[in-house]
Amino acid sequence: MHNIEWDVETGGIILRNDSLIDGNEIRPVYPEELRNIGFDEYISIPDGNNGPVMWAIRFNYYYKGINVAKLEDRGCLTKPKIVILEESFVGTELSYLDVGLIIEKNKMLMNQLIQNTLIRIYKAYHELKDQYDKVIVSYSAGKDSVVLLDLVKRALPNEKLTVTWIDTRMEHKKTREMVEKEKQKCKDQGIGFIISRSDVPAVDLWKLIGPPSMKNRWCCSVCKSVPNLLNFRKTFGNESIKTLNYVGVRGGESSSRMKSEFISKDMKHKGSTNVNGIFNWNSAEIFLYHWMNNIELNEYYKEGFVRLGCAVCPMANTLNMAVSYMVVPDEMDPYYDVIRDTYRDFFDNEEALNSYINMGDWRLRNGSAGTKYFVDYKEYVLDGYIHIDMKNPKTDWKIWIKTIGVLEKTDGKSPYSDLSEQEYTVNYRGGKYNFFVAENSDVVHVSILESSDNAEFFDKLKKVFRKASSCIGCKSCEANCPFGHLHIKDGIPVIDDGCIHCSTCIHDVHLCPAFESWYKDEDVL
């Protein structure tokens, strides 16, 4: 990963090993973006689209190395304000950058980076290929994934590759068009190409589960990793398939991604290993590679998009969303409508509601607080017993109990004489644990003696009832079963007799995307 310095001769950049300017967020700026935002009020922008005309670091704009303007964030639904930082920039007549000369000046360092990357990609394949059933290349039509795919094609045997695109159903139109082109190209090159998508359109899942948030990014599993893994199992006829995945993660994109490594095992699901092929690249190098190899750049980058992906994402900042909204409001409005419907009852008027949405505060929710969503479920401690109360559970808890052990009815006496409770015993990892359940119509009451001896078991037991209370058949736990014993059929969980009670499918504290979206903090232990 190189830093950069500004090059006055070309109006471009030069890669350096000793420069102070971080090249990780820099991007070329095209005429379309400047016109979309309204820069033509201040400067003369060339007609057409024959290449970039200046640079930006995020939304700070640079002309010949000088920070001449920036965008002021006014919310995700409001057009940003242009702030001129250099008055001499006003009235400037822009011309296209000399991309050919920029390439020539950076060719030596770029070729070194490319050769080193090709070697690392091949070395990972050579050392790991025999441990996995399939070699997968993740594709999104974003700038990083396009570069990664081109590098992997150059380094590895094409007949060994399968490219996968996950259609979250929140993808933009031009991205879909670019995917279709790549699909045909892979076919001509003898490379497999798989498209995975959830059974339910994303906007309907938003309505059912609730808008995702920074703390509950259920969409990443339900709309992406889950349908992708299940599609692999179906396509390749292997319930416990192990995949070696080449992905376009770059360490400099975020602090969380910086913690990743070139090779990351079991990142999404057990048996899945990621090779972060361009982990040490920065965005300057990504764009230079596009130009050097004449690789198509997704048109949305020219419109001002900093990142591509889902139409509305809780992890995007409001300025990024605002620029996107200026370009494709019709593709984003259905999701903002769900957000409005989710929070409407908690505001006195539409103006207050729209202000809340515009500022992006909807991204911060945890559980169902402040939303219309609710699950009638509560955990509490009383008289030395831990209790669970739930009404109208969506699935039968006796199905989910199979994930932790074998259930048996016993003849123990209920601690509460006024409740008609049935005692059950579960053989959990060599020990037998008792609990009581009273079921009446659509009401279920569970009680278990509070003891340090059964703390681990209770942790699993409450997850069983959380699952039962909220399961909507999203298939997240089906994907998490490493042995293929759990399936969702017609929206109902089915666990076969081969289940080994490993509890992997209910491992996380909440896990169930619906429960995570609907619960309240005060109702869980």
Side-chain angles (χ1 to χ4, degrees), residues 301-497:
Y301 291 116
K302 299 176 182 179
E303 299 277 4
F305 283 46
V306 173
R307 289 188 180 182
L308 292 179
C310 301
V312 177
C313 174
M315 300 305 292
N317 66 49
T318 51
L319 189 50
N320 285 344
M321 287 192 282
V323 172
S324 301
Y325 192 68
M326 291 161 47
V327 179
V328 286
D330 56 318
E331 296 181 16
M332 301 172 74
D333 275 337
Y335 301 96
Y336 284 122
D337 288 343
V338 176
I339 296 171
R340 287 189 182 88
D341 183 60
T342 297
Y343 294 96
R344 177 168 281 111
D345 292 343
F346 296 86
F347 291 89
D348 294 332
N349 53 64
E350 287 291 306
E351 182 179 356
L353 172 62
N354 285 331
S355 176
Y356 178 84
I357 296 171
N358 184 55
M359 297 309 296
D361 293 338
W362 56 273
R363 301 170 300 166
L364 306 177
R365 81 176 177 100
N366 186 29
S368 63
T371 75
K372 70 175 186 178
Y373 294 93
F374 175 72
V375 57
D376 203 336
Y377 177 96
K378 188 175 182 64
E379 302 165 359
Y380 57 97
V381 178
L382 180 66
D383 298 335
Y385 279 79
I386 302 171
H387 301 268
I388 298 174
D389 286 338
M390 64 179 180
K391 296 180 181 179
N392 301 308
K394 294 188 176 298
T395 51
D396 186 353
W397 66 270
K398 294 185 182 71
I399 297 174
W400 292 108
I401 201 74
K402 294 179 182 180
T403 64
I404 62 176
V406 178
L407 182 70
E408 298 177 1
K409 284 186 178 182
T410 51
D411 297 323
K413 184 179 179 181
S414 168
Y416 294 95
S417 59
D418 58 337
L419 289 177
S420 177
E421 291 192 313
Q422 169 67 53
E423 185 184 42
Y424 292 93
T425 297
V426 173
N427 190 330
Y428 170 69
R429 297 187 178 177
K432 289 194 173 183
Y433 299 91
N434 293 25
F435 62 98
F436 297 88
V437 179
E439 297 182 77
N440 181 16
S441 184
D442 293 326
V443 179
V444 178
H445 174 84
V446 185
S447 57
I448 180 172
L449 184 66
E450 185 179 22
S451 167
S452 59
D453 293 337
N454 66 6
E456 182 180 295
F457 172 73
F458 174 69
D459 183 59
K460 295 291 192 300
L461 186 67
K462 65 184 180 183
K463 293 170 185 175
V464 164
F465 286 92
R466 289 175 180 179
K467 285 281 194 183
S469 71
S470 306
C471 177
I472 58 170
C474 73
K475 299 188 178 182
S476 289
C477 17
E478 179 176 347
N480 277 320
C481 177
F483 305 106
H485 296 306
L486 191 162
H487 297 278
I488 305 296
K489 297 182 179 179
D490 299 323
I492 303 298
V494 177
I495 300 174
D496 64 41
D497 293 336

Side-chain angles (χ1 to χ4, degrees), residues 45 121 142 180 344 510 513:
I45 304 170
I121 288 173
E180 288 301 317
R344 177 168 281 111
H510 295 145

